[in-house]
């Protein structure tokens, strides 16, 4: 197993890669391991030379094991567990009502979970949902009457001890009453009595805050959804020695001030200070200066200078090439070999795209692990790569101190090139060209793309590459971030379909993956076979862990027991829950965790519409949580059988945020929360946002 720093805790399962070389009108495909050829290769557990089931080696080259009917395990890997498996029909362990097969087995008029015999079966256990008016867990108490709902927003779990609406000119001396609640915050470790002041701000204002008292500590946050969740965006922890805070600009919203009992504070709302877009200062103290600040979008000083229209577009008194903003556009052509960045594009000589293929840059001593050869316009080519056994030959300019793998290709005519990259581990990717005799693979580096993220794929496009020899290098970001993956190249002419630019380049009425010219690209194929154990579309996810399989028959609901359904996650309506890491309804071993069988809690949510989801972990004290986002994996599957993403916090007590690619509408999605390592202590707040 690859060991990775805690900052990069995600989960990935590598697939089998296919090499497809294409030149002119000919396409040659070199397949990976083939089940039934009598050779056990790649991910195959066996290969008996045929594709028949029932002879000890299945048609998928998996070992066939007889189903045991009483061990809660899918022994024969057919998607059915114990008595739900047809192989267990008539087994002594499968008498009476079988819970989950949709039949009235004991003929008493009740089916599955409606039968009293299934009351305590794992498939029939349901946690209390706090907003449906039902006694879900069967303890005689419904919704807020049940102690399990004590922390739910609808049951007062987010209520402040004081509440006010304010505008510029208002001032408050806090606390205004003696009420307290037992709460914790990211600013201090213990859960002690605190007062909580909720401030509703209907228009922009500046804030002046002074904290005093024995403890002299205050937590300021903005509430994402004050009436629906406890989700908070931390703004500040105010504490000695100053005990003061001055924020020039607070946008409209709802803010929460939390302080230990005995702490006092004064709050004044003053006229807001807005960003001045051309003075070199961060006027509103939001971390962005002048045109970097979104408030300056559209300001004249922040408009780009058009360098050939005879107009002073940005209002600085200088027109076209007189304006320093036009220095690069008005610079001369690059001279290859004079050591000067002549065209002012921040690349000189053989590291400038303009010099690729020039006589000055011809020749290289780069050690190449795979050569695609010459790729003509219209070609699609793919090759597997691995840094598991290669040496560290170069360090990419955008990061990569670990081993690297280099592939080469040549162009015989100017072309647009698309590079798709899948990986396990974490690698930066460079595109380089020859830089002269005796030079290494990185001497002619043209572009460096930082790692898209641990185990995540990336796609990059390069327009108008000149005829030349090029090198593509995957460089592990650290020595323990090595892995394997696939390079995939598409070479397109000016009138060819270029498969990920959102344009119908060849004017045939089809764009990108809808065009037949893109059919051979892995990211256009889709995860079409959801129980074959392969990453069909080379995007880093296998079978049910790939969202393209969600909702298929193979990846339907399983036997995962959800402890807390959070409901529907819609844009602008975040969901939140506190999880105690020291206890849990069950145990789990997260793929990105360090210790097996730690207490775990299973949350779930659904999406009313397709969306990217931001998952935030806000640990209390020095707790060290980890979280897995998983998808149902079919009949009898558990909560972690199809993990799409797994992450932890960078270090104990430090918050973490991770954002998914677009997830399809529907559900349930499972969020399994546990500690990264023993001992499992403390609590963590999990906040979900649809983006």
């Amino acid at each position: 197993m690859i060991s990775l720093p805690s900052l990069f805790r995600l989960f990935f399962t590598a697939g089998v890669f296919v090499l497809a070389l294409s030149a002119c009108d000919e396409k040659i495909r070199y397949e990976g391991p083939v089940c039934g050829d009598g050779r056990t290769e790649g991910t195959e557990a066996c290969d008996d030379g045929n594709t028949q089931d029932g002879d000890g080696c299945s048609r998928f080259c998996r070992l066939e094991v007889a189903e045991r009917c009483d061990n809660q395990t899918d022994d024969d890997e057919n998607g059915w567990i114990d008595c739900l498996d047809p192989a267990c029909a008539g087994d002594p362990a499968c008498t009476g009502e079988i819970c989950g097969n949709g039949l009235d087995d004991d003929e008493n008029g009740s089916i599955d979970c409606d039968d009293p015999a299934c009351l305590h079966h794992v498939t029939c256990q349901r946690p209390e949902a706090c907003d449906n008016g039902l006694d879900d867990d069967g303890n005689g108490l419904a919704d807020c009457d049940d102690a399990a709902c004590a922390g739910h927003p609808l049951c007062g779990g987010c209520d402040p001890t004081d509440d006010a609406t304010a505008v510029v000119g208002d001032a408050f001396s806090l606390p205004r009453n003696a009420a307290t609640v037992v709460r914790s915050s990211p600013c201090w470790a213990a859960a002690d009595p605190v007062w909580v002041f909720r401030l509703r701000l209907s228009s922009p204002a500046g804030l002046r805050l002074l904290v005093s008292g024995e403890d002299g500590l205050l937590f300021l946050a903005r509430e994402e959804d004050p009436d629906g969740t406890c989700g908070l965006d931390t703004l500040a922890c105010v504490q000695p020695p100053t005990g003061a805070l001055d924020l020039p600009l607070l946008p409209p919203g709802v803010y929460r001030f939390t302080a230990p009992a005995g702490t006092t504070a004064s709050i004044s709302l003053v006229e807001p200070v807005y960003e001045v877009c051309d003075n070199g200062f961060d006027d509103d103290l939001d971390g962005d200066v002048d045109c970097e600040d979104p408030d300056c979008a559209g300001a004249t000083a922040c408009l780009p200078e058009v360098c050939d229209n005879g107009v002073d577009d940005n209002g600085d008194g200088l027109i076209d090439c007189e304006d320093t903003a036009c220095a690069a556009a008005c610079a001369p052509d690059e001279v290859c070999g004079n050591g000067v960045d002549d065209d002012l594009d921040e690349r000189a000589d053989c590291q400038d795209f303009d010099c690729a293929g020039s006589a000055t840059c011809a020749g290289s001593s780069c050690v190449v692990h795979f050569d695609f050869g010459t790729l003509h316009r219209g070609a699609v080519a793919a090759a597997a790569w691995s840094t598991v056994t290669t040496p560290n030959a170069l360090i990419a300019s955008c990061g990569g101190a670990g081993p690297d793998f280099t592939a080469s290709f040549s162009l015989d005519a100017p072309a647009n090139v698309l590079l798709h990259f899948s990986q396990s581990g974490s690698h930066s990717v460079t595109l380089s060209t020859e830089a002269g005799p005796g030079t290494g693979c990185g001497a002619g580096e043209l572009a460096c793309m930082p790692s898209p993220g641990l185990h995540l794929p990336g796609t990059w496009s390069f327009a108008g590459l000149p005829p030349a020899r090029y090198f593509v290098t995957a460089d592990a970001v650290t020595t323990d971030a090595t892995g394997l993956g696939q390079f995939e190249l598409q070479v397109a002419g000016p009138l060819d379909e270029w498969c990920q630019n959102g344009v119908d380049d060849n004017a045939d009425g089809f764009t990108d993956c809808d065009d037949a010219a893109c059919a051979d690209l892995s990211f256009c194929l889709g995860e079409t076979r959801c129980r074959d154990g392969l990453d069909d579309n080379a995007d880093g996810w296998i079978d049910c862990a790939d969202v393209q399989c969600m909702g298929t028959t193979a990846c339907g609901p399983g036997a995962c027991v959800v402890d807390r359904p959070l409901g529907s996650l819609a844009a602008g309506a975040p969901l939140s829950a506190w999880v105690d890491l020291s206890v849990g309804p069950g145990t789990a071993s997260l793929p990105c965790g360090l210790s097996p069988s730690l207490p775990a809690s299973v949350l779930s949510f659904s999406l009313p519409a397709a969306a990217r989801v931001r998952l935030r972990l806000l640990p209390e004290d020095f707790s060290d949580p980890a979280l897995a986002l998983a998808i149902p994996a079919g009949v009898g599957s558990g909560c972690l059988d199809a993990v799409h993403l797994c992450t932890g916090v960078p270090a104990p007590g430090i918050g973490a945020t991770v954002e998914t690619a677009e997830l399809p509408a529907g559900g349930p999605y499972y969020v399994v929360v546990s500690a990264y390592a023993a001992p499992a202590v403390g609590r963590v707040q999990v906040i979900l946002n649809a983006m």
Side-chain angles (χ1 to χ4, degrees):
M1 177 178 288
I2 300 170
S3 172
L4 297 170
S6 57
L7 181 59
F8 301 108
R9 299 175 188 157
L10 295 180
F11 178 69
F12 175 84
T13 305
V16 176
F17 301 100
V18 176
L19 170 62
L21 296 180
S22 174
C24 296
D25 295 327
E26 296 182 355
K27 293 183 179 179
I28 306 172
R29 295 188 67 84
Y30 296 90
E31 300 291 342
V34 176
C35 182
D37 62 2
R39 295 178 296 177
T40 302
E41 304 173 292
T43 60
E44 295 177 346
C46 61
D47 196 321
D48 57 1
N50 63 59
T51 55
Q52 298 178 354
D53 291 330
D55 58 0
C57 185
S58 75
R59 65 182 182 278
F60 300 117
C61 285
R62 304 291 188 193
L63 290 172
E64 293 180 317
V65 180
E67 181 73 15
R68 289 180 54 191
C69 302
D70 58 358
N71 64 350
Q72 291 295 307
T73 302
D74 182 13
D75 305 284
D76 56 8
E77 297 183 352
N78 67 348
W80 302 88
I81 292 178
D82 292 356
C83 297
L84 297 178
D85 195 313
C88 290
D91 190 277
C94 300
T95 58
E97 184 69 15
I98 299 173
C99 306
N101 65 353
L103 302 175
D104 181 13
D105 305 281
D106 55 8
E107 299 181 354
N108 67 348
S110 299
I111 296 175
D112 295 345
C113 294
D114 293 329
D115 195 306
C118 294
L119 180 61
H120 300 293
H121 192 272
V122 65
T123 61
C124 300
Q125 295 175 2
R126 294 178 297 179
E128 184 68 21
C130 301
D131 57 358
N132 63 356
L134 302 176
D135 177 20
D136 304 279
D137 56 10
N139 67 349
L141 301 172
D143 294 352
C144 294
D145 292 331
D146 195 311
C149 295
H152 195 278
L154 296 179
C155 303
C158 297
D159 291 349
T161 57
D162 192 7
D163 197 313
T165 299
V167 295
V168 170
D170 289 341
F172 302 91
S173 294
L174 302 175
R176 301 194 303 178
N177 57 48
T180 60
V181 292
V182 177
R183 299 268 172 84
S184 60
S185 86
C187 293
W188 55 85
D192 293 322
V194 296
W195 53 260
V196 182
F197 178 59
R198 175 183 283 165
L199 180 67
R200 301 178 185 271
L201 194 62
S202 58
S203 58
L207 172 72
R208 291 176 180 169
L209 172 68
L210 182 64
V211 178
S212 59
E214 182 178 348
D215 294 323
L217 186 64
L218 182 141
F219 168 54
L220 171 61
R222 183 173 182 177
E223 299 194 29
E224 295 166 338
D225 183 5
D227 298 316
T229 74
C230 296
L232 306 173
D233 279 328
T234 298
L235 295 181
C237 293
V238 184
Q239 54 189 338
T242 59
L245 179 68
D246 190 355
L247 296 177
L249 178 63
L250 282 180
V254 180
Y255 298 87
R256 178 177 293 214
F257 301 79
T258 304
T263 299
T264 60
S266 62
I267 296 174
S268 299
L269 296 175
V270 299
E271 290 292 337
V273 176
Y274 296 94
E275 184 72 15
V276 179
C277 300
D278 59 359
N279 64 353
F281 293 100
D282 178 15
D283 305 280
D284 56 7
L285 299 181
D286 63 355
D288 296 319
V289 177
D290 293 353
C291 296
E292 297 174 353
D293 196 309
D295 296 337
C296 291
T300 299
C302 299
L303 295 176
E305 180 73 15
V306 180
C307 300
D308 58 358
N309 64 352
V311 177
D312 179 16
D313 305 280
N314 58 8
D316 63 354
L318 302 173
I319 297 175
D320 294 352
C321 290
E322 298 174 356
D323 196 311
T324 56
C326 291
C330 298
D333 294 335
E334 183 72 16
V335 178
C336 304
N338 65 354
V340 177
D341 178 17
D342 305 281
D343 57 5
L344 302 181
D345 63 355
E346 299 183 357
R347 295 190 171 276
D349 299 343
C350 297
Q351 292 188 339
D352 193 307
F353 284 93
D354 296 335
C355 292
S358 67
T360 302
C361 300
S364 174
S365 294
C366 176
V367 177
V368 173
H369 302 93
F370 181 85
D371 187 5
F372 285 99
T374 299
L375 299 180
H376 308 285
R377 290 175 176 176
V380 173
W385 59 265
S386 172
T387 56
V388 175
T389 59
T390 57
N392 180 14
L394 62 80
I395 297 179
S397 65
C398 58
D404 42 73
F405 181 105
T406 298
S408 66
F409 68 93
S410 298
L411 297 178
D412 58 0
N416 301 324
V417 174
L418 180 148
L419 168 62
H420 180 66
F421 161 81
S422 62
Q423 63 169 334
S424 64
S426 184
H427 300 76
S428 57
V429 179
T430 61
L431 176 69
S432 306
T433 189
E434 293 183 328
T439 57
C441 302
E445 182 182 286
L446 301 172
C448 190
M449 290 70 70
S451 174
L454 190 63
H455 308 318
L456 296 182
T459 305
W460 303 280
S461 298
F462 305 95
L465 291 185
R469 188 183 185 211
Y470 295 92
F471 308 113
V472 179
T473 300
D475 194 8
V477 297
T478 61
T479 56
D480 61 353
T482 59
L484 50 95
Q486 179 176 257
F487 289 133
E488 193 168 19
L489 297 169
Q490 184 212 6
V491 181
L495 300 179
D496 297 330
E497 187 67 20
W498 202 15
C499 295
Q500 207 181 45
N501 64 351
V503 177
D504 179 15
D505 306 279
N506 56 6
D508 65 351
F510 300 97
T511 300
D512 295 348
C513 288
D514 293 331
D515 196 302
C518 301
D520 289 334
L521 288 168
S522 63
F523 58 83
C524 293
L525 291 175
E527 190 77 9
T528 55
R529 299 178 295 277
C530 296
R531 287 192 78 91
D532 63 354
L534 303 177
D535 181 14
D536 304 294
N537 58 356
D539 64 355
W541 291 285
I542 290 177
D543 293 348
C544 297
D546 193 314
V547 294
Q548 293 188 15
C549 286
M550 188 169 183
T552 63
T553 301
C555 301
C560 177
V561 177
V562 176
D563 306 314
R564 272 183 279 174
L566 301 181
S568 180
L569 177 62
L575 301 173
S576 175
W578 279 95
V579 175
D580 190 337
L581 300 176
S582 63
V583 296
T587 60
S589 179
L590 298 186
C592 57
L594 189 62
S595 301
S597 300
L598 294 177
S601 296
V602 182
L603 316 176
S604 70
F605 69 92
S606 61
L607 290 172
R612 292 178 293 112
V613 174
R614 187 180 70 184
L615 301 102
R616 301 173 62 196
L617 290 172
L618 298 178
E620 179 182 83
D621 195 7
F622 289 98
S623 61
D624 191 12
L627 170 152
L629 173 66
I631 302 170
V635 175
S637 61
C639 301
L640 291 172
D641 285 349
V643 173
H644 182 72
L645 178 149
C646 195
T647 187
V649 297
I654 305 298
T657 300
V658 64
E659 191 170 298
T660 70
E662 185 174 86
L663 302 179
Y669 290 94
Y670 304 132
V671 179
V672 184
V673 185
S674 182
Y676 171 68
V681 295
R683 300 196 308 160
V684 61
Q685 186 182 19
V686 180
I687 302 174
L688 309 178
N689 281 271
M691 310 300 290

